[in-house]
């Protein structure tokens, strides 16, 4: 089992180069205001560096960020889990006054965080899965992040 986990982590580090906005956008106002910085400070709201994620019992969070063009990011987190939904809104394919089709686009990310301290060194890992939908295009993926 340990070899399988090491293999999955290694493969995801080597070949897992995909650009999905939900993986890189700030999940809450703290990350938005610091522009992803201050990642070495222990903070339960930091999702970029899993080593700094501090688990507290009965810790619940909710964040809703509205970007321009009605793009919305919703983040719900509890203890070691985080659910993020990025809604791009409704798209309209039209030419002049003729509407050909209307469709929505969104991305969903579910993450699990684990951190451990060994000799005053914080080590953390986040494992998750995401789903992306744009009109008829659907994709699924796995994501991992290791932090020290």
């Amino acid at each position: 089992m340990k070899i399988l986990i090491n293999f999955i982590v290694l493969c995801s580090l080597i070949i897992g180069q995909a650009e999905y906005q939900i993986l890189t956008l700030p999940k809450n106002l703290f990350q938005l205001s610091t522009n992803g910085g201050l990642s070495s400070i222990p903070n339960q709201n930091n999702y970029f560096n899993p080593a700094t994620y501090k688990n507290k019992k009965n810790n619940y969070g909710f964040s809703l960020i509205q970007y321009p063009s009605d793009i919305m990011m919703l983040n719900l987190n509890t203890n070691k889990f985080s659910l993020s939904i990025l809604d791009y809104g409704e798209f309209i394919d039209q030419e002049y006054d003729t509407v050909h089709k209307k469709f929505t686009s969104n991305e969903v990310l579910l993450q699990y965080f684990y951190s451990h301290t060994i000799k005053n060194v914080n080590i953390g890992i986040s494992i998750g899965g995401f789903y992306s939908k744009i009109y008829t295009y659907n994709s699924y993926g796995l994501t991992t992040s290791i932090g020290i």
Side-chain angles (χ1 to χ4, degrees), residues 9-107:
V9 170
L10 182 63
C11 285
S12 68
L13 291 173
I14 293 172
I15 62 173
Q17 301 296 321
E19 178 58 40
Y20 289 90
Q21 293 300 313
I22 199 162
L23 298 175
T24 57
L25 279 178
K27 307 287 188 292
N28 54 40
L29 296 178
F30 174 78
Q31 288 180 339
L32 184 64
S33 64
T34 60
N35 197 22
L38 301 175
S39 63
S40 61
I41 297 173
N43 187 341
Q44 71 268 13
N45 296 319
N46 186 3
Y47 301 106
F48 290 137
N49 185 357
T52 62
Y53 186 82
K54 295 299 178 190
N55 182 32
K56 294 181 181 177
K57 292 193 176 205
N58 300 325
N59 183 24
Y60 302 100
F62 172 82
S63 181
L64 179 64
I65 301 173
Q66 177 142 7
Y67 292 102
S69 299
D70 291 332
I71 298 173
M72 294 176 58
M73 167 70 87
L74 169 69
N75 181 268
L76 304 167
N77 61 332
T78 175
N79 297 334
K80 295 183 176 188
F81 291 95
S82 172
L83 174 67
S84 301
I85 301 170
L86 180 60
D87 183 13
Y88 291 105
E90 183 178 66
F91 291 91
I92 300 172
D93 181 15
Q94 75 179 35
E95 187 174 342
Y96 301 107
D97 291 333
T98 306
V99 175
H100 298 289
K101 59 187 161 246
K102 291 183 182 181
F103 59 93
T104 60
S105 174
N106 55 38
E107 296 179 358

Side-chain angles (χ1 to χ4, degrees), residues 18 20 108 128-133 137-143:
Y20 289 90
V108 178
F130 61 89
Y131 168 74
S132 178
K133 176 183 171 258
Y137 172 78
N138 294 316
S139 66
Y140 300 91
L142 296 174
T143 178

